[in-house]
Amino acid sequence: MMKQAGAKVIFCDGVIEINDGETTTFMTSALTMPDGTVYISNGLKQSGAEAAAHEIVHVKMILGDAAYVEFEAVIADNIDWDSESYKKIARKIAAEIIDKRASAEEIAEHGGRDAYIDEKISDLDFAKTFLREITAVVNQLCSTDMDAANSLFDGLFTDWNAVVEASRKFNKDIGADFSESASFMSEGESVLPKVSAEGPEADWFADEAFKARGLERLTDDQKFIKSVGKAFGREVRFANLDKSVKGKDGKRRLFSPDGYFDESTGEIWINTSTAKEHHPLGFIIKHELTEFAETNPKSYSKLMKAIRDSKEFELWLRKETKDKTRTVDQMVSDLAKKERKTREKYGIKQGPYKSTQEVYANFIGDVLFEKGNHTLDTLISRAEAKQKPAFIQAILDVVTWLKEKLKGNKEITFKLVRLESKYVNALKKAQKAWEQKQVSETAQNKKST
């Protein structure tokens, strides 16, 4: 990979010995020399992809490559130098430098190791060192382990998505391909844990014992699903909802929905069938987003307008309807009819307005719970500067509403808090960009007059 990107690589047996005239350092990992040559030890503990993604950044920095200059600029613009995350990572980098290069006498002169670290991270020259090293680590983790990247850099950058995109652009610009790394394909994590609504193993005696006490025998996953429903004030019921449905061609096919909502009782029914993969938590929360629409009409209206006109929504509709020619409105209408027919199969009626809301709620849920939120981030990036702050605020309103509703479910709310933090930072940046654009336009108007 590194050779494809134009780097000279030398593989070494055992340790790599570095002598700068004053101190000798021994390394069993990888190292980029001042001439841009990369030495890799066979004692390397990282994967080859990790080492390559890290060292190629140092190579391109030494060579003064334009791709590196652009990448580093994005990193520098987005580092929150006052954050606790910066202090934590900076201290780790400073400690490694001191441990490798400073003598015992030098450390003592600076008041001990901890005092020397504190002194080091407040030095302007260290800021440059930090920037060079963190740029390499960002590319290493964004290219090979997004879960680790999301965790390590939480709170360090004001616009994490911009940093991730900059890493990908850097690799693309230099011709480095890390797509075969398995963990690279896992772009972040979903807000919702994966659970199954499948019931417990058949046990007549256990069932009767629970019934005698007025209880329902459930698995741990089913209990968790019920707790999510309860957070929204809904009773969750479980049943095998599969049906054999006769199609227009006369053939019978399996109809296996995730579930349905009974408006007459306020209950949510979840399918326990294992005939296909189901998403019970997603089904519950996507349905409850229709409640958000009713209680937050202004935010919902802004969200709908941005979604309605987006290419992402059209692509999602085409995937859901398997249609390549119909308009957005026609496809929305088709899916709304499908929502109504689902309920009709269980004797429940639903009006066109409600079923249309369900279609939009399904899309919002899909992009909000998508790993990495890249569809949602693309929607934001394509919004006009003037509309972008209001759009991001509407997304934040949804996330905050969900967080408040689900505050008893720590596993979900922890991830919602992280998602909320991400879009708070995105909102600040969008507001600043719009303000700067207004100032620039005002200045230009004054010049023209």
Side-chain angles (χ1 to χ4, degrees):
M1 283 181 284
M2 294 188 70
K3 289 180 180 178
Q4 290 175 349
K8 181 181 178 182
V9 182
I10 297 175
F11 294 94
C12 310
D13 288 327
V15 298
I16 302 170
E17 183 178 325
I18 309 151
N19 194 312
D20 62 5
E22 295 182 2
T23 58
T24 300
T25 306
F26 299 96
M27 300 183 69
T28 56
S29 54
L31 175 73
T32 301
M33 298 302 286
D35 65 351
T37 302
V38 179
Y39 290 82
I40 299 178
S41 167
N42 62 1
L44 184 72
K45 293 180 180 178
Q46 298 170 310
S47 69
E50 287 177 303
H54 184 106
E55 298 302 329
I56 195 64
V57 175
H58 291 315
V59 171
K60 295 301 180 182
M61 179 201 71
I62 289 168
L63 298 177
D65 195 293
Y68 172 81
V69 174
E70 183 181 347
F71 183 24
E72 188 195 73
V74 175
I75 298 288
D77 286 346
N78 285 286
I79 292 175
D80 185 348
W81 299 95
D82 296 321
S83 67
E84 288 302 315
S85 183
Y86 165 73
K87 294 172 186 174
K88 181 180 177 181
I89 298 172
R91 285 183 64 82
K92 181 173 172 51
I93 292 174
E96 289 178 357
I97 293 171
I98 289 169
D99 291 343
K100 286 178 182 177
R101 301 177 187 174
S103 64
E105 291 80 9
E106 183 182 348
I107 293 173
E109 287 175 7
H110 290 270
R113 185 173 179 273
D114 288 344
Y116 197 5
I117 291 171
D118 289 335
E119 180 185 329
K120 197 85 172 171
I121 67 173
S122 61
D123 192 309
L124 182 60
D125 286 337
F126 175 77
K128 297 174 184 176
T129 301
F130 178 86
L131 184 57
R132 288 195 298 268
E133 188 58 29
I134 210 67
T135 303
V137 177
V138 163
N139 198 57
Q140 172 190 329
L141 294 182
C142 284
S143 300
T144 62
D145 193 342
M146 275 302 303
D147 287 341
N150 287 332
S151 176
L152 178 63
F153 300 125
D154 187 22
L156 178 62
F157 297 105
T158 55
D159 188 344
W160 175 230
N161 188 59
V163 170
V164 173
E165 290 304 317
S167 170
R168 290 172 182 161
K169 186 177 187 302
F170 169 77
N171 288 328
K172 182 180 179 181
D173 289 347
I174 67 172
D177 182 10
F178 299 99
S179 60
E180 291 184 5
S181 172
S183 53
F184 175 72
M185 300 305 290
S186 173
E187 299 176 331
E189 56 185 348
S190 172
V191 169
L192 301 179
K194 192 173 181 179
V195 295
S196 170
E198 183 183 0
E201 291 184 13
D203 187 329
W204 184 84
F205 292 103
D207 286 341
E208 290 302 307
F210 271 79
K211 284 180 184 178
R213 290 179 286 163
L215 300 174
E216 184 180 11
R217 192 163 74 93
L218 302 170
T219 65
D220 287 342
D221 276 3
Q222 286 181 322
K223 290 174 184 176
F224 186 77
I225 294 166
K226 282 183 78 75
S227 75
V228 171
K230 187 177 180 181
F232 291 103
R234 303 292 186 193
E235 181 64 38
V236 175
R237 303 288 187 191
F238 297 100
N240 188 322
L241 304 178
D242 286 0
K243 286 181 178 288
S244 176
V245 179
K246 193 174 183 179
K248 292 180 180 179
D249 58 1
K251 294 180 180 179
R252 301 197 74 82
R253 293 179 177 84
L254 176 68
F255 176 69
S256 185
D258 285 335
Y260 69 88
F261 174 64
D262 188 339
E263 289 187 29
S264 64
T265 63
E267 295 174 334
I268 292 178
W269 285 84
I270 296 296
N271 198 353
T272 59
S273 165
T274 57
K276 61 172 254 188
E277 184 178 11
H278 292 107
H279 305 278
L281 293 182
F283 176 80
I284 292 171
I285 295 177
K286 282 190 282 187
H287 169 75
E288 293 306 317
L289 285 173
T290 60
E291 182 190 329
F292 172 83
E294 294 168 3
T295 55
N296 299 269
K298 288 185 178 180
S299 290
Y300 191 74
S301 176
K302 290 172 184 174
L303 208 53
M304 288 307 96
K305 187 180 186 310
I307 288 171
R308 168 66 182 74
D309 300 332
S310 72
K311 184 68 176 175
E312 288 69 32
F313 185 51
E314 181 186 344
L315 292 172
W316 179 84
L317 288 169
R318 298 208 181 283
K319 179 184 174 184
E320 294 295 310
T321 60
K322 296 179 175 61
D323 188 285
K324 295 181 180 180
T325 58
R326 292 165 72 79
T327 66
V328 166
D329 287 338
Q330 287 171 331
M331 288 187 288
V332 169
S333 177
D334 288 346
L335 288 179
K337 287 177 184 176
K338 186 178 177 182
E339 288 286 338
R340 293 197 295 276
K341 285 182 179 179
T342 297
R343 284 159 179 75
E344 286 170 6
K345 286 180 174 68
Y346 300 98
I348 299 165
K349 291 185 178 180
Q350 186 184 54
Y353 176 74
K354 276 278 189 181
S355 57
T356 301
Q357 275 193 329
E358 293 274 2
V359 173
Y360 280 96
N362 286 341
F363 174 76
I364 295 170
D366 281 353
V367 299
L368 197 61
F369 307 141
E370 173 192 41
K371 286 187 176 182
N373 307 112
H374 297 301
T375 302
L376 190 54
D377 293 339
T378 301
L379 274 167
I380 292 171
S381 68
R382 290 180 180 174
E384 292 182 12
K386 185 177 181 180
Q387 278 77 40
K388 191 174 290 187
F391 180 37
I392 298 173
Q393 183 60 64
I395 294 168
L396 265 173
D397 290 344
V398 173
V399 174
T400 303
W401 181 81
L402 283 173
K403 186 187 73 174
E404 288 302 309
K405 287 283 186 179
L406 294 164
K407 58 187 175 185
N409 292 276
K410 292 182 180 179
E411 187 175 355
I412 298 177
T413 52
F414 171 73
K415 293 174 184 176
L416 284 171
V417 167
R418 290 175 62 181
L419 199 62
E420 185 180 46
S421 176
K422 170 183 175 178
Y423 289 118
V424 164
N425 288 329
L427 178 60
K428 289 177 182 176
K429 188 164 186 177
Q431 288 171 331
K432 185 177 180 181
W434 172 235
E435 289 167 3
Q436 290 175 339
K437 186 174 182 180
Q438 286 180 300
V439 170
S440 176
E441 289 176 351
T442 301
Q444 288 176 355
N445 290 336
K446 286 182 179 180
K447 285 182 180 179
S448 62
T449 55

